[in-house]
Amino acid sequence: MRRDPAAGGNDAGAPTARAPGGEGEPHSRHHDARLGSADKELKAGATAESSAPTALGSPRQREPRVKVMDPAGGPRNLLPRPCRVLVLLNPRGGKGKALQLFRSHVQPLLAQADVSYRLMLTERRNHARELVRTEELARWDALVVMSGDGLMHEVVNGLMERPDWETAIRKPLCSLPAGSGNALAASLNHYAGYEQVTNEDLLNNCTVLLCRRRLAPMNLLSLQMVSGLRVFSVLSLAWGFIADVDIESEKFRRLGEMRFTVGTILRLAALRVYRGRLAYLPVERVVSKVPTSPALDRQDQQGPVDTHLVPLEEPVPAHWTVVPEQDFVLVLALLHSHLGSEMFAAPMGHSAAGAMHLFYVRAGVSRAMLLRLFLAMEKGRHMECDCPYLVYVPVVAFRLEPKDGKGMFAVDGELMVSEAVQGQVHPNYFWMVSGRVEPSPPLEPQQTPPPEGPL
């Protein structure tokens, strides 16, 4: 049984954690005063063994299909050693035990891997967003986000709001799961070849990825709202059933990921239908021609140019697909494999650079079938249910226009106003700690090139 070093005033004893070569082996002791503010700095003094730590979850490593290279054709991208990181931690995320988990599970492994860190605790919504807007990023080799998916959403949008956003977004990021929704961490765990695990096992696996220092480029979803708001997503946009469950289950946050099971059952009991128009640009119809709309020539908005999108007031281009049905149970645009640590939503494989998974379920599906789909999703078997109401297509862009403003949007698990929205994926646009051994090839010549490499 692992002792919780946060239980006492000061950490008087050496914490134990699963370490290279065995479980529960003691690590070097650190003087770690109890945090009384949102800012602490600790220098990890120990040095790791020559071999990398072994993750939990009986990792199953896939063989690389190609030689490991970065997008620019150079050697594999790695964080330096020794490494210095800024850790942004939400102490109220999930079950409210993130700080204890950091001390008992993360800190010992960082000590062995020669990773020093500064720990900053977020105190309110959008606090991390505010912090990274003004942080001197050159001091850090990476930004580590320990919470659920919402905090990573804040960090990426904060970086994209900086005057030096083109440089800032090149700072490598790392996701350590400590929230109730840990879809991004679960996806990275999957890409590394590890078995699907949850809770502390998932946290250990992701910490090991940080200790191994490997970086991979990730897609970024740019979203434009009819109100003029622009938002960047690192994971998903959901409308309808999934968004309802995500947002309405917030009241059960203390249950951890069990909140989504409870929310699903409650929403199934009062299943809703949402009216709206959906259109998308499928992967096979991608063309590199830039639309000639004047709106795309405007440079008053920060961020990459959305070359596949026209203004929301205009019809979608003729080569897009317009879904004839207008009654939906859910619509989901997903960048990664998982929608939660036990929701393997996209078993069809890692999406190509510049592409995302688009799912929608048409009205008419029974409650029994919908429940069957969600139960099968744990193992990625929902596509085998042969549900005639479930549609999947890989796309590079989409437009969704809810009618009467009904239904909720959840972007990376965060509530957004229900309004007309369109989005486009930007390939390999930012860097994350990952076990994935090669970047995904782009679908097309890039009009707006992604960052050349991590800073």
Side-chain angles (χ1 to χ4, degrees):
M1 182 175 179
R2 184 176 290 107
R3 187 183 65 85
D4 181 5
N10 291 332
D11 295 343
T16 61
R18 292 178 174 89
E23 295 185 4
E25 295 181 2
H27 294 263
S28 58
R29 181 181 305 180
H30 297 281
H31 178 70
D32 182 8
R34 187 176 185 131
L35 290 174
S37 67
D39 196 343
K40 183 184 76 69
E41 184 166 348
L42 181 145
K43 169 67 178 175
T47 302
E49 302 294 333
S50 57
S51 60
T54 301
L56 296 180
S58 301
R60 45 176 178 80
Q61 297 291 350
R62 302 186 185 92
E63 291 297 321
R65 295 190 295 270
V66 297
K67 185 177 180 181
V68 178
M69 304 286 283
D70 73 9
R76 181 171 59 197
N77 289 285
L78 296 171
L79 291 174
R81 185 183 188 120
C83 181
R84 184 171 174 80
V85 301
L86 175 63
V87 180
L88 297 166
L89 183 148
N90 177 10
R92 294 165 298 281
K95 297 181 180 180
K97 296 182 178 180
L99 183 55
Q100 296 176 24
L101 291 171
F102 178 83
R103 288 172 165 170
S104 60
H105 288 70
V106 179
Q107 180 180 315
L109 289 178
L110 297 187
Q112 289 205 357
D114 202 15
V115 177
S116 60
Y117 64 87
R118 182 181 182 186
L119 179 61
M120 300 185 73
L121 307 185
T122 60
E123 299 172 348
R124 60 187 177 277
R125 183 181 177 87
N126 282 322
H127 190 194
R129 191 172 190 157
E130 298 165 6
L131 289 172
V132 299
R133 280 186 199 142
T134 57
E135 180 62 33
E136 187 180 341
L137 297 178
R139 301 169 59 191
W140 315 109
D141 297 309
L143 304 181
V144 177
V145 178
M146 186 162 175
S147 185
D149 300 311
L151 201 64
M152 184 64 75
H153 174 87
E154 287 189 24
V155 168
V156 167
N157 279 276
L159 293 174
M160 293 299 289
E161 291 165 358
R162 292 169 60 107
D164 62 343
W165 64 270
E166 291 178 283
T167 300
I169 197 62
R170 293 168 59 189
K171 183 62 61 179
L173 305 175
C174 174
S175 177
L176 297 183
S180 51
N182 301 307
L184 183 57
S187 298
L188 296 170
N189 181 75
H190 173 68
Y191 303 150
Y194 297 160
E195 297 291 346
Q196 182 168 292
V197 291
T198 62
N199 301 321
E200 286 85 353
D201 288 346
L202 180 59
L203 176 59
N204 277 341
N205 282 3
C206 292
T207 304
V208 166
L209 293 180
L210 174 57
C211 294
R212 289 177 175 169
R213 293 171 162 78
R214 183 180 293 167
L215 300 173
M218 298 289 163
N219 290 336
L220 183 67
L221 175 59
S222 169
L223 297 170
Q224 299 178 8
M225 313 294 184
V226 72
S227 61
L229 179 67
R230 192 181 191 189
V231 177
F232 295 96
S233 168
V234 298
L235 177 65
S236 65
L237 177 141
W239 179 62
F241 185 89
I242 291 176
D244 289 349
V245 170
D246 203 349
I247 302 303
E248 292 173 357
S249 66
E250 277 285 333
K251 63 176 73 75
F252 308 120
R253 176 173 289 276
R254 290 290 176 174
L255 297 177
E257 292 204 26
M258 182 60 67
R259 66 177 259 210
F260 300 114
T261 302
V262 174
T264 297
I265 294 172
L266 292 176
R267 181 46 47 214
L268 279 172
L271 192 60
R272 298 171 180 162
V273 173
Y274 304 87
R275 291 187 59 80
R277 290 182 294 179
L278 175 64
Y280 56 84
L281 174 58
V283 166
E284 65 270 16
R285 295 186 191 169
V286 171
V287 293
S288 58
K289 180 181 177 182
V290 180
T292 56
S293 169
L296 293 176
D297 297 329
R298 291 169 42 196
Q299 296 299 319
D300 57 343
Q301 266 192 326
Q302 292 194 163
V305 177
D306 296 326
T307 56
H308 293 300
L309 304 182
V310 298
L312 278 160
E313 297 78 16
E314 299 179 9
V316 296
H319 62 293
W320 282 43
T321 296
V322 178
V323 177
E325 296 89 358
Q326 296 192 4
D327 293 327
F328 302 92
V329 171
L330 67 87
V331 175
L332 172 66
L334 182 64
L335 289 171
H336 290 287
S337 63
H338 282 65
L339 197 56
S341 63
E342 293 185 290
M343 298 185 74
F344 190 11
M348 53 286 301
H350 188 76
S351 58
M356 59 185 158
H357 309 286
L358 178 65
F359 301 87
Y360 62 90
V361 174
R362 296 179 288 109
V365 65
S366 67
R367 290 179 175 85
M369 175 56 77
L370 199 57
L371 178 59
R372 182 183 172 195
L373 289 174
F374 275 85
L375 291 176
M377 193 182 293
E378 179 179 351
K379 302 298 183 183
R381 293 283 187 78
H382 51 292
M383 302 304 294
E384 302 172 13
C385 293
D386 295 324
C387 175
Y389 299 93
L390 171 62
V391 180
Y392 164 75
V393 59
V395 305
V396 298
F398 73 94
R399 178 184 289 185
L400 178 58
E401 299 171 276
K403 291 194 174 180
D404 305 323
K406 292 184 178 179
M408 292 184 285
F409 279 132
V411 177
D412 300 341
E414 301 298 300
L415 176 65
M416 301 289 293
V417 175
S418 180
E419 59 179 326
V421 60
Q422 60 184 359
Q424 171 184 328
V425 181
H426 291 273
N428 294 339
Y429 209 81
F430 68 106
W431 293 88
M432 288 200 71
V433 169
S434 172
R436 186 155 54 92
V437 295
E438 79 277 353
S440 300
L443 293 170
E444 59 170 329
Q446 297 168 14
Q447 300 295 330
T448 305
E452 294 181 358
L455 289 179

